[in-house]
Every structure is written in structure tokens, then in C-alpha cells.
Amino acid sequence: MTSAFVPPVYPYDRLDRAREAASILPGGVVDLSIGTPTDPPPEVALAALAGLDAGGRPADESGAARGYPPSIGSQELRLAIQHWTKSRLGAGIPLDAVAVCVGTKEFVATTPQWMKLRYPGRDTVLYPAVSYPTYEMGARLAGLRPVAVPLDSTWRMDLSAISSDDASRALMLWVNSPGNPSGALDDLGAAAAWGRSAGVPVFSDECYAEFTWDGPPQTILGHGGGPDGIDGVVAVHSVSKRSNMAGMRVGWYAGDGDLVTYLREVRKHAGFMVPGPVQRAAAAVLADQGHVEVQRDRYWKRLLRCQAILARLGPTPDLPAGGFYLWSPAPAGDEWAWTDWLAAKGGVLVSPGSFYGPGGAGYVRLAMVAGLDRLDLVASRLGV
Ligand SMILES: Cc1ncc(COP(=O)(O)O)c(C=O)c1O
């Protein structure tokens, strides 16, 4: 008999006790637990939302806010994505190979069920063993089998550890680079090659690409098969992190022609749509790189500041190769005790590493979403 699905407690709800302890300190909680941007979105986004053109004049009557927006994304936004993919990631892709989603969390959580409908003989979703929890949850929500791929000592997937049985049952492999929570850069070429030889589509979550510190941003596009290098691979992106637009909910997926065509048709039937003004705002921010440089500078300075604070208290965390998290070993390997201590004494809320899989135990994750003034407050509370 199969048992009824009961949603597990949402990981961040398990931080309520620590949050309460941090909140009572003068100055309140410094919340580094969730990777939600708190810096302002660029002006161009707000102007586009308000229906203004780049010069601040009312844009022509496109009806963007009135009618149903195109589920696959407006031509304007898809062209902006195509152009950004070429100029920033160096990958040329046909316009038909691009479609939008309502932020990538939605895409990560729902795609397994559409893949199951397409390949009913398969039942498995492969994902990195220490990773963003929605990869596993998407499999569970579709009634599928989540199978964690072990990581090596540098937090990259050990693809050789995937059994031939799991590979033959797999609907998809998720890869995430720069990776949340570890900040590691995975080998996207190796992931694409594994997928090709195993006959498994590879979905590459690249939402932190702009915050790559070791070298230029990377994409799986170009590493797949076919003349454009996109056969068998799909890259997943969003402006949530790049442009501080998490509240506007817009992302996209691009790659394998057959998969993108299939997914965009299914998603059209299911009614996934990004509001028209938000699509315009996303197109506007993709044409602007200046604000991304400002944000990169903010995150890097905060990473250095936080690393220095933690180094005075316990093991020094490595700086990440990408992303805006510090993945920090907890003293004595007890991530819950360390989370509680940091909350009670420093008023700072962090995430225990086990939120990202059992292999994350012994670590905590700190998101660089508070300003330097707030990090200074934490340092002074802790006397370091
Ligand atoms: C690895 C990863 N993928 C996807 C997302 C979801 O981002 P969004 O839905 O805002 O595009 C997040 C958010 O934290 C993330 O860390």
C-alpha cells in the first residue's frame, strides 16, 4: 500500500527558535539564513515596471499589463536572454530554444512531473547530494525517486558513483554551478558528457553564474550534442540573484530544442505566465551590466568581512569559487549548536548545513544578504 504524501516541515521554519533568540538583542536579528537579495533592484527595472522607457517617458501602449502575457515569454525578453547568453556566457542559441518561467524554483519543483509524463518508463531524478533542497522536493512532488549523487571532497558531483540501474531509470540529472550551498564550480562539460553517454537529459541550474569569482561565468550550453552544443542539455537562469529581483519572479530555461519545445507547450497548458510588466523589467535589466558589477562588489566585500569574523571564532571558512554564500565548518562539527550559539550571542541567523542534505552536516551556510554595517554589528556583539 502506498502512503499519503505529507509535506515535510519547510527547512527555514525550523529556525524559529534561533530567530527568536537573535531578535531580542538590541538592533535585532541579522538574517543570513536565506539567500534572498535585500539590495535594491536597478532603476531600469523599476522604470520598466512602471511602464516607462529607458528615457523615463511613458512607453508605447503595448498592453503588457492588460492582457494575458505569453507563457513562453515575450519576443523582447527572449531576444534579451539570447543576447545576454551570447555576450556574457559565450553561447549562441536559437530563439526557439529559450522560454521563461516564474522564477527558477517553480521550474525546479515542477519539471520532474512533466518529464515523467514524457518518459513514463522512467522514475528517477538525480541531483547533487548536498544541494538546494528543491531538486529533491521536485522529485517527491511528482511521486518519483530522488537519488542523491555523492560529492567528492571538493563538493563536485562524482558521476562515476551513479549506478547503471539509476542511470537507466533517470529522467534527468541536475547540476548546480556555482553551487548552493558550497560555492563550488562543477565540471559542466563532464556532466553533459555523462548525460550524452547515459541518454539522460542534464539540467544545469546556473542562477549564480554572474557571481563567479574564479574565472568567467560558465554554462552547460555549448557542451551538449548537435551543431549548437545544446542537444541533451538545458540551462536554467534567473534575474532573482543577478539583479535583486527575487520578488518579481522571473527566470528562464534554454537548451535542447525538443525538450524546450515540449516543456513550453506543457507549461502553456498549465497556465504558467510571468506578468507582462515583469517581463519588460527582466528584458531591461539584462541589457545592463553596470548594476551587476556593483552587486558583485558588495557580495565580495561581505564575503571577506564574514570570513574574517568567523576566523576569529573557529575554523576559517574558504572563500567560495562562486555564489554569495560562505560554507563554513562548525566547531566540533555540530552545526545546530553553532547555529544556536551564533544566534544567541551574535544575533545572526545562519542555516545548518543539514538543510542541504545529510552530507552538509557539520557546516553552516551564511548568505551575504546583509550590509557591512550589519556585519559590523554582529562582530561587535561577538567582541571580535
Ligand atoms: C540553486 C538555486 N536554484 C534556484 C533558486 C531559486 O531562485 P528563483 O526562483 O528566485 O529564480 C535558488 C534560490 O535560492 C537557488 O539557490
mmCIF file of all heavy atoms in Angstrom, residues 35 102-106 108 132 135 176 180 205 207-208 237-238 240-241 246 249-251 325 365, ligand 1:
data_model
loop_
_atom_site.group_PDB
_atom_site.id
_atom_site.type_symbol
_atom_site.label_atom_id
_atom_site.label_comp_id
_atom_site.label_asym_id
_atom_site.label_seq_id
_atom_site.Cartn_x
_atom_site.Cartn_y
_atom_site.Cartn_z
ATOM 1 N N GLY A 35 18.957 32.944 1.070
ATOM 2 C CA GLY A 35 19.657 33.693 0.012
ATOM 3 C C GLY A 35 18.737 34.617 -0.745
ATOM 4 O O GLY A 35 18.683 34.590 -1.973
ATOM 5 N N VAL A 102 8.436 31.154 -14.015
ATOM 6 C CA VAL A 102 8.038 32.086 -12.961
ATOM 7 C C VAL A 102 9.061 32.022 -11.824
ATOM 8 O O VAL A 102 8.748 31.660 -10.691
ATOM 9 C CB VAL A 102 6.611 31.750 -12.464
ATOM 10 C CG1 VAL A 102 6.060 32.904 -11.612
ATOM 11 C CG2 VAL A 102 5.669 31.487 -13.628
ATOM 12 N N GLY A 103 10.308 32.343 -12.151
ATOM 13 C CA GLY A 103 11.403 32.115 -11.205
ATOM 14 C C GLY A 103 11.826 30.657 -11.321
ATOM 15 O O GLY A 103 11.031 29.786 -11.705
ATOM 16 N N THR A 104 13.074 30.376 -11.002
ATOM 17 C CA THR A 104 13.551 29.020 -11.264
ATOM 18 C C THR A 104 13.098 28.002 -10.215
ATOM 19 O O THR A 104 13.065 26.819 -10.479
ATOM 20 C CB THR A 104 15.087 28.991 -11.405
ATOM 21 O OG1 THR A 104 15.671 29.567 -10.254
ATOM 22 C CG2 THR A 104 15.539 29.741 -12.620
ATOM 23 N N LYS A 105 12.732 28.466 -9.017
ATOM 24 C CA LYS A 105 12.260 27.482 -8.016
ATOM 25 C C LYS A 105 11.050 26.730 -8.559
ATOM 26 O O LYS A 105 10.962 25.506 -8.445
ATOM 27 C CB LYS A 105 11.908 28.173 -6.697
ATOM 28 C CG LYS A 105 11.508 27.174 -5.613
ATOM 29 C CD LYS A 105 11.270 27.827 -4.278
ATOM 30 C CE LYS A 105 10.816 26.832 -3.241
ATOM 31 N NZ LYS A 105 11.879 26.334 -2.382
ATOM 32 N N GLU A 106 10.154 27.478 -9.132
ATOM 33 C CA GLU A 106 8.956 26.868 -9.733
ATOM 34 C C GLU A 106 9.364 25.840 -10.788
ATOM 35 O O GLU A 106 8.834 24.724 -10.843
ATOM 36 C CB GLU A 106 8.100 28.011 -10.295
ATOM 37 C CG GLU A 106 6.968 27.633 -11.202
ATOM 38 C CD GLU A 106 7.377 27.549 -12.653
ATOM 39 O OE1 GLU A 106 7.720 28.561 -13.283
ATOM 40 O OE2 GLU A 106 7.357 26.418 -13.163
ATOM 41 N N VAL A 108 12.257 24.235 -11.105
ATOM 42 C CA VAL A 108 12.948 23.094 -10.481
ATOM 43 C C VAL A 108 11.925 22.156 -9.833
ATOM 44 O O VAL A 108 12.037 20.931 -9.915
ATOM 45 C CB VAL A 108 13.978 23.595 -9.434
ATOM 46 C CG1 VAL A 108 14.566 22.430 -8.635
ATOM 47 C CG2 VAL A 108 15.090 24.395 -10.103
ATOM 48 N N TYR A 132 20.631 22.599 -3.096
ATOM 49 C CA TYR A 132 19.351 23.298 -2.980
ATOM 50 C C TYR A 132 18.239 22.238 -2.806
ATOM 51 O O TYR A 132 18.092 21.347 -3.658
ATOM 52 C CB TYR A 132 19.186 24.081 -4.287
ATOM 53 C CG TYR A 132 17.976 24.933 -4.430
ATOM 54 C CD1 TYR A 132 17.646 25.904 -3.486
ATOM 55 C CD2 TYR A 132 17.159 24.812 -5.560
ATOM 56 C CE1 TYR A 132 16.534 26.706 -3.664
ATOM 57 C CE2 TYR A 132 16.062 25.617 -5.747
ATOM 58 C CZ TYR A 132 15.744 26.557 -4.793
ATOM 59 O OH TYR A 132 14.658 27.363 -4.973
ATOM 60 N N TYR A 135 15.596 20.394 -5.561
ATOM 61 C CA TYR A 135 15.838 19.315 -6.539
ATOM 62 C C TYR A 135 15.197 18.021 -6.037
ATOM 63 O O TYR A 135 14.524 17.318 -6.782
ATOM 64 C CB TYR A 135 17.339 19.076 -6.758
ATOM 65 C CG TYR A 135 18.108 20.300 -7.178
ATOM 66 C CD1 TYR A 135 19.250 20.709 -6.496
ATOM 67 C CD2 TYR A 135 17.689 21.064 -8.263
ATOM 68 C CE1 TYR A 135 19.955 21.841 -6.875
ATOM 69 C CE2 TYR A 135 18.387 22.198 -8.655
ATOM 70 C CZ TYR A 135 19.521 22.582 -7.949
ATOM 71 O OH TYR A 135 20.198 23.699 -8.311
ATOM 72 N N ASN A 176 24.426 21.982 -10.455
ATOM 73 C CA ASN A 176 24.268 23.370 -9.991
ATOM 74 C C ASN A 176 25.644 23.990 -9.811
ATOM 75 O O ASN A 176 26.409 23.569 -8.956
ATOM 76 C CB ASN A 176 23.486 23.366 -8.672
ATOM 77 C CG ASN A 176 23.377 24.746 -8.025
ATOM 78 O OD1 ASN A 176 23.438 24.872 -6.807
ATOM 79 N ND2 ASN A 176 23.197 25.768 -8.812
ATOM 80 N N ASN A 180 25.020 25.984 -4.704
ATOM 81 C CA ASN A 180 24.452 26.331 -3.411
ATOM 82 C C ASN A 180 24.344 25.010 -2.644
ATOM 83 O O ASN A 180 23.725 24.082 -3.163
ATOM 84 C CB ASN A 180 23.064 26.954 -3.634
ATOM 85 C CG ASN A 180 22.303 27.189 -2.360
ATOM 86 O OD1 ASN A 180 22.846 27.090 -1.275
ATOM 87 N ND2 ASN A 180 21.023 27.503 -2.483
ATOM 88 N N ASP A 205 21.473 24.199 -13.343
ATOM 89 C CA ASP A 205 20.966 25.396 -12.654
ATOM 90 C C ASP A 205 22.134 26.363 -12.488
ATOM 91 O O ASP A 205 23.049 26.127 -11.703
ATOM 92 C CB ASP A 205 20.385 24.964 -11.301
ATOM 93 C CG ASP A 205 19.793 26.125 -10.508
ATOM 94 O OD1 ASP A 205 20.036 27.287 -10.870
ATOM 95 O OD2 ASP A 205 19.095 25.844 -9.520
ATOM 96 N N CYS A 207 21.883 29.798 -11.761
ATOM 97 C CA CYS A 207 21.316 31.081 -11.338
ATOM 98 C C CYS A 207 22.327 31.982 -10.626
ATOM 99 O O CYS A 207 22.069 33.164 -10.449
ATOM 100 C CB CYS A 207 20.053 30.874 -10.514
ATOM 101 S SG CYS A 207 20.309 30.172 -8.892
ATOM 102 N N TYR A 208 23.495 31.413 -10.227
ATOM 103 C CA TYR A 208 24.525 32.260 -9.587
ATOM 104 C C TYR A 208 25.665 32.592 -10.550
ATOM 105 O O TYR A 208 26.722 33.048 -10.112
ATOM 106 C CB TYR A 208 25.094 31.558 -8.351
ATOM 107 C CG TYR A 208 24.059 31.354 -7.252
ATOM 108 C CD1 TYR A 208 23.419 30.133 -7.090
ATOM 109 C CD2 TYR A 208 23.716 32.398 -6.398
ATOM 110 C CE1 TYR A 208 22.456 29.949 -6.106
ATOM 111 C CE2 TYR A 208 22.759 32.226 -5.416
ATOM 112 C CZ TYR A 208 22.135 30.995 -5.276
ATOM 113 O OH TYR A 208 21.178 30.834 -4.296
ATOM 114 N N HIS A 237 18.188 29.732 -15.592
ATOM 115 C CA HIS A 237 18.707 31.013 -15.095
ATOM 116 C C HIS A 237 17.596 31.862 -14.516
ATOM 117 O O HIS A 237 16.410 31.605 -14.755
ATOM 118 C CB HIS A 237 19.337 31.803 -16.256
ATOM 119 C CG HIS A 237 20.694 31.320 -16.618
ATOM 120 N ND1 HIS A 237 21.838 31.862 -16.084
ATOM 121 C CD2 HIS A 237 21.094 30.334 -17.445
ATOM 122 C CE1 HIS A 237 22.884 31.218 -16.581
ATOM 123 N NE2 HIS A 237 22.465 30.288 -17.410
ATOM 124 N N SER A 238 18.017 32.945 -13.831
ATOM 125 C CA SER A 238 17.012 33.845 -13.278
ATOM 126 C C SER A 238 17.631 35.208 -13.027
ATOM 127 O O SER A 238 18.853 35.326 -12.928
ATOM 128 C CB SER A 238 16.451 33.207 -12.013
ATOM 129 O OG SER A 238 16.509 34.017 -10.904
ATOM 130 N N SER A 240 16.628 36.804 -10.348
ATOM 131 C CA SER A 240 16.416 36.990 -8.900
ATOM 132 C C SER A 240 17.692 37.430 -8.206
ATOM 133 O O SER A 240 17.696 38.388 -7.426
ATOM 134 C CB SER A 240 15.978 35.681 -8.258
ATOM 135 O OG SER A 240 14.711 35.302 -8.695
ATOM 136 N N LYS A 241 18.770 36.704 -8.460
ATOM 137 C CA LYS A 241 20.031 36.978 -7.772
ATOM 138 C C LYS A 241 20.812 38.026 -8.556
ATOM 139 O O LYS A 241 21.379 38.944 -7.985
ATOM 140 C CB LYS A 241 20.869 35.707 -7.655
ATOM 141 C CG LYS A 241 20.091 34.445 -7.318
ATOM 142 C CD LYS A 241 19.711 34.339 -5.864
ATOM 143 C CE LYS A 241 18.968 33.023 -5.590
ATOM 144 N NZ LYS A 241 18.486 32.905 -4.238
ATOM 145 N N ALA A 246 14.217 38.998 -6.909
ATOM 146 C CA ALA A 246 13.569 37.749 -6.462
ATOM 147 C C ALA A 246 12.066 37.939 -6.283
ATOM 148 O O ALA A 246 11.281 37.023 -6.523
ATOM 149 C CB ALA A 246 14.217 37.255 -5.170
ATOM 150 N N ARG A 249 9.746 37.439 -9.609
ATOM 151 C CA ARG A 249 9.532 36.077 -10.085
ATOM 152 C C ARG A 249 9.671 35.959 -11.597
ATOM 153 O O ARG A 249 8.668 35.898 -12.330
ATOM 154 C CB ARG A 249 8.144 35.543 -9.654
ATOM 155 C CG ARG A 249 7.802 35.685 -8.193
ATOM 156 C CD ARG A 249 8.872 35.149 -7.273
ATOM 157 N NE ARG A 249 9.239 33.767 -7.541
ATOM 158 C CZ ARG A 249 10.511 33.338 -7.520
ATOM 159 N NH1 ARG A 249 11.517 34.136 -7.252
ATOM 160 N NH2 ARG A 249 10.762 32.071 -7.771
ATOM 161 N N VAL A 250 10.874 35.942 -12.059
ATOM 162 C CA VAL A 250 11.093 35.659 -13.472
ATOM 163 C C VAL A 250 12.443 34.969 -13.672
ATOM 164 O O VAL A 250 13.447 35.377 -13.097
ATOM 165 C CB VAL A 250 10.941 36.930 -14.351
ATOM 166 C CG1 VAL A 250 11.791 38.084 -13.871
ATOM 167 C CG2 VAL A 250 11.231 36.657 -15.824
ATOM 168 N N GLY A 251 12.394 33.905 -14.453
ATOM 169 C CA GLY A 251 13.600 33.163 -14.805
ATOM 170 C C GLY A 251 13.422 32.606 -16.206
ATOM 171 O O GLY A 251 12.446 32.936 -16.904
ATOM 172 N N TYR A 325 27.502 32.702 -0.840
ATOM 173 C CA TYR A 325 27.393 32.028 0.458
ATOM 174 C C TYR A 325 28.777 31.705 1.000
ATOM 175 O O TYR A 325 29.685 31.387 0.238
ATOM 176 C CB TYR A 325 26.624 30.710 0.307
ATOM 177 C CG TYR A 325 25.238 30.889 -0.260
ATOM 178 C CD1 TYR A 325 24.945 30.507 -1.568
ATOM 179 C CD2 TYR A 325 24.224 31.471 0.504
ATOM 180 C CE1 TYR A 325 23.666 30.692 -2.099
ATOM 181 C CE2 TYR A 325 22.953 31.654 -0.018
ATOM 182 C CZ TYR A 325 22.678 31.267 -1.325
ATOM 183 O OH TYR A 325 21.426 31.453 -1.835
ATOM 184 N N ARG A 365 25.679 27.555 6.578
ATOM 185 C CA ARG A 365 25.728 28.412 5.385
ATOM 186 C C ARG A 365 25.308 29.826 5.760
ATOM 187 O O ARG A 365 24.287 30.037 6.417
ATOM 188 C CB ARG A 365 24.788 27.864 4.308
ATOM 189 C CG ARG A 365 24.987 28.519 2.960
ATOM 190 C CD ARG A 365 23.793 28.311 2.034
ATOM 191 N NE ARG A 365 22.670 29.143 2.429
ATOM 192 C CZ ARG A 365 21.549 29.289 1.726
ATOM 193 N NH1 ARG A 365 21.390 28.621 0.587
ATOM 194 N NH2 ARG A 365 20.570 30.070 2.154
HETATM 195 C C1 LIG B 1 20.419 26.835 -6.568
HETATM 196 C C2 LIG B 1 19.169 27.639 -6.644
HETATM 197 N N1 LIG B 1 18.342 27.463 -7.679
HETATM 198 C C3 LIG B 1 17.195 28.159 -7.787
HETATM 199 C C4 LIG B 1 16.835 29.083 -6.834
HETATM 200 C C5 LIG B 1 15.518 29.795 -6.979
HETATM 201 O O1 LIG B 1 15.638 31.091 -7.422
HETATM 202 P P1 LIG B 1 14.451 31.851 -8.122
HETATM 203 O O2 LIG B 1 13.218 31.012 -8.005
HETATM 204 O O3 LIG B 1 14.285 33.117 -7.399
HETATM 205 O O4 LIG B 1 14.855 32.036 -9.552
HETATM 206 C C6 LIG B 1 17.653 29.308 -5.736
HETATM 207 C C7 LIG B 1 17.275 30.268 -4.686
HETATM 208 O O5 LIG B 1 17.842 30.387 -3.643
HETATM 209 C C8 LIG B 1 18.869 28.568 -5.644
HETATM 210 O O6 LIG B 1 19.718 28.731 -4.617
#
